[in-house]
Amino acid sequence: MIELSEPRQVARWCAERRAAGRRVGFVPTMGYLHEGHLALIRRARELADVVVVSIFVNPLQFGPREDLERYPRDPQGDARKCRAEGVDLLFVPDGRQMYPTGFDSFVDVRTLGGTLCGARRPGHFQGVCTVVTKLFNVIGPCAAVFGEKDFQQLAIIRRMVLDLNQPVEVIGHPTVREADGLALSSRNAYLSPSERSAAAVLNRALSRLVDRSGGPIALATEVVAELRQVIEAQPLVRLEYVEVVDKGTLQPLDRVMPGQTLVAVAATVGTTRLIDNIQI
Ligand code: AMP
């Protein structure tokens, strides 16, 4: 595995591979890699001849009162994991190279970026779209893999690629979970043991819906009320939102439409903000 931090060197390396007829697969991450990230890397391996992983804690996607400074980092462990997965190029840019003085260009996906987490984290998805566009421009991947754990992010990236004619195939990958259902996340490292066990309520609540997806069609208000009740019974968990939305438009639905519905939640456990979702 080769490790590079200079965008120009990365661009040259990738261009040479593409010129030799190789398909370049790409997995963007913020590091502190876990099995969810590794599943994306394995998917990229299946889709492409060479695999590029980026690790960049992107300041543009963090709000002023969010966890940029304390976001968990483990550069050596991450490099070891990437090497073990057969990653070809690890791209670790630094902030000054990504956002030099005078940086003034931003990518915004307006409607999809304005709902769910976008309504609560102003500027977050603009930061994501801007950095992903920059990474796409540097790497020129044929395919890029994103996790369904961040379902809204995946939907927004698909829209952006379509709208801006970015020549990359966007691949979604199912959420990888712990044995008790908690979605793997780098932020789980913040949780104390009692918060960690309380956090499992998010997926436990969502999973109740799938067990019943063959049953009568439920009103969104009933689903939301039920999930609220289950989640708020956990004293360590503070619910931010539960929403029943169309999985294409991310706009609210009146009732659960099988095959078309996403139920998304965000909650704070202790001081840690977690998200999860389920498709019905
Ligand atoms: P992050 O490092 O959190 O920015 O995530 C990088 C990529 O990994 C994103 O596409 C995430 O959606 C994806 N990802 C994070 N956690 C999981 C998970 N538990 N299962 C599947 N993909 C994940």
Side-chain angles (χ1 to χ4, degrees), residues 31-240:
Y32 210 73
L33 301 181
H34 52 63
E35 277 297 322
H37 297 115
L38 302 187
L40 269 49
I41 293 171
R42 287 173 204 140
R43 185 83 185 96
R45 264 255 81 84
E46 292 167 3
L47 292 162
D49 305 306
V50 294
V51 175
V52 179
V53 171
S54 66
I55 295 180
F56 181 57
V57 182
N58 174 33
L60 218 55
Q61 70 190 67
F62 286 79
R65 282 186 304 281
E66 293 183 359
D67 57 342
L68 173 63
E69 295 309 325
R70 68 168 188 145
Y71 196 83
R73 290 164 168 89
D74 180 17
Q76 284 167 9
D78 287 348
R80 197 171 54 243
K81 287 172 191 168
C82 286
R83 216 172 286 119
E85 291 300 329
V87 168
D88 298 280
L89 168 60
L90 181 59
F91 178 26
V92 187
D94 80 19
R96 282 181 306 268
Q97 286 166 328
M98 292 298 272
Y99 303 116
T101 308
F103 185 89
D104 200 24
S105 303
F106 301 89
V107 181
D108 218 356
V109 176
R110 291 188 179 173
T111 311
L112 288 177
T115 64
L116 303 174
C117 287
R120 282 97 183 170
R121 300 182 72 191
H124 169 66
F125 288 114
Q126 186 188 72
V128 169
C129 288
T130 302
V131 80
V132 169
T133 295
K134 285 171 66 68
L135 293 166
F136 283 175
N137 287 342
V138 171
I139 292 159
C142 304
V145 188
F146 293 84
E148 290 178 352
K149 199 215 104 188
D150 301 279
F151 192 95
Q152 185 176 18
Q153 170 175 280
L154 171 61
I156 288 172
I157 300 286
R158 286 192 196 283
R159 185 79 244 170
M160 173 184 83
V161 160
L162 199 66
D163 289 351
L164 302 184
N165 306 87
Q166 294 176 336
V168 51
E169 189 185 354
V170 175
I171 308 291
H173 192 283
T175 304
V176 178
R177 299 179 179 281
E178 301 277 10
D180 65 357
L182 177 66
L184 295 188
S185 163
S186 306
R187 289 191 168 98
N188 293 350
Y190 297 143
L191 300 171
S192 70
S194 55
E195 290 167 354
R196 165 63 191 82
S197 52
V201 75
L202 299 181
N203 181 249
R204 205 162 55 237
L206 290 171
S207 300
R208 294 159 63 107
L209 304 175
V210 167
D211 296 342
R212 269 177 282 143
S213 59
I217 290 175
L219 290 174
T221 49
E222 288 168 4
V223 168
V224 168
E226 179 185 329
L227 291 188
R228 262 189 188 285
Q229 196 180 26
V230 174
I231 293 169
E232 286 173 347
Q234 246 320 326
L236 296 178
V237 180
R238 206 170 62 250
L239 191 60
E240 190 180 306

